[in-house]
Amino acid sequence: MKGPAHLWLVCASNRAWPGRRRVSMSGPEGKPFDIPKRLVWQAWKRVKANGGAAGADGVTIEDFGKDLGDSLYKIWNRMSSGTYFPPPVRAVEIPKSSGGTRLLGVPAVGDRVAQTVAALALEPRTEAIFHDDSYGYRPERGALDAVAKCRQRCWERDWVIDLDVRKFFDSVPWDLMVKAVRANTTHEQRWIVLYVRRWLAAPIMMPDGRTQARDKGTPQGPRKGPRSAPCSPTCRIACRETPHAVAISP
């Protein structure tokens, strides 16, 4: 039986959309930004595989998939048109082993797809320049890979340096993050810079229901294995441009 996934792939290949009228403008399909539909489909597959809870809108991954073709079209259409604006991020408090709580951010499922589109577009460039000994927020790598490398080097050296950037996610300046993104994107990828600015400025919905504006930092998402879930390109870019000191020996 052919379902939404088949429809999306056919539409992506034929560059046509059921019930959608093309707008006569310059650029690919009349859009100011050329974002391949297949990139949106790949982003959805990654988000679905990662799983995770609903965001502030209450839409689960299962809910999002019920009208998948239309849902993905809306994301592609708005991102390609420059009219995509992220919804608030749902804040979740989790206890810290040292006491107190840590605030994590859970974007909406649709926003996770949009974020992953940007992350996938950036990965070829960032992966080419990132240090081989860095394991944070990288595809097909995770904490256990870093532990394995540390274990190997424990047999080679009898000392360890443990470093951490205090409150990095809470205090990282937006201008530096945007500067790092701009330095690693082409003119054709300027849409990434546009949306990173908007993701950074997206409000956060606190556990009590209040919506709170932000002027620095970026919400830290929960992690489930080698890939972060939800996948936040703002976190990925920040960490990639600030190399981790994990499993690095001089």
Side-chain angles (χ1 to χ4, degrees):
M1 181 177 179
K2 297 179 179 180
H6 173 79
L7 175 62
W8 174 267
L9 288 174
V10 170
C11 290
S13 299
N14 297 339
R15 305 183 73 82
W17 298 89
R20 302 291 180 177
R21 182 172 58 88
R22 290 189 181 185
V23 179
S24 180
M25 293 174 61
S26 61
E29 297 200 30
K31 306 296 183 183
F33 304 127
D34 185 12
I35 301 175
K37 297 187 182 86
R38 282 191 175 274
L39 195 64
V40 182
W41 172 249
Q42 291 168 9
W44 158 248
K45 290 197 297 183
R46 181 174 290 192
V47 169
K48 183 180 180 182
N50 282 335
D57 59 2
V59 176
T60 65
I61 289 179
E62 291 73 20
D63 295 334
F64 188 87
K66 290 178 181 177
D67 193 8
L68 186 59
D70 193 56
S71 298
L72 295 180
Y73 172 83
K74 288 178 181 177
I75 294 172
W76 171 83
N77 186 46
R78 292 170 184 173
M79 293 189 75
S80 299
S81 304
T83 58
Y84 178 79
F85 288 88
V89 177
R90 182 169 68 93
V92 178
E93 291 182 333
I94 64 169
K96 298 171 62 175
S97 57
S98 58
T101 59
R102 173 183 288 111
L103 201 64
L104 300 183
V106 182
V109 173
D111 194 43
R112 300 205 297 262
V113 174
Q115 291 178 7
T116 306
V117 170
L120 288 172
L122 274 173
E123 276 182 4
R125 166 61 179 167
T126 54
E127 287 300 305
I129 63 174
F130 212 53
H131 198 289
D132 189 55
D133 271 345
S134 185
Y135 294 88
Y137 298 91
R138 298 184 65 184
E140 309 302 337
R141 291 192 176 207
L144 292 181
D145 299 307
V147 171
K149 182 62 69 173
C150 287
R151 177 181 174 84
Q152 173 190 332
R153 291 179 178 170
C154 282
W155 296 102
E156 302 170 359
R157 293 173 175 83
D158 56 2
W159 51 268
V160 173
I161 298 178
D162 184 14
L163 301 175
D164 185 27
V165 180
R166 184 181 182 187
K167 295 187 178 296
F168 174 81
F169 288 95
D170 297 333
S171 61
V172 60
W174 290 355
D175 59 333
L176 294 182
M177 296 181 69
V178 173
K179 182 179 179 180
V181 174
R182 186 182 293 115
N184 288 283
T185 50
T186 65
H187 177 72
E188 290 73 21
Q189 293 177 319
R190 62 193 183 281
W191 57 272
I192 299 177
V193 180
L194 170 69
Y195 292 126
V196 164
R197 288 181 182 274
R198 293 180 185 176
W199 278 312
L200 288 171
I204 187 166
M205 181 176 288
M206 304 302 291
D208 61 5
R210 292 181 298 108
T211 300
Q212 182 175 310
R214 299 179 300 108
D215 58 8
K216 63 179 179 180
T218 179
Q220 183 177 0
R223 286 187 281 277
K224 294 177 63 178
R227 295 171 180 163
S228 60
C231 165
S232 170
T234 55
C235 296
R236 286 173 177 241
I237 296 161
C239 292
R240 288 177 179 182
E241 293 303 316
T242 308
H244 289 192
V246 177
I248 298 178
S249 61

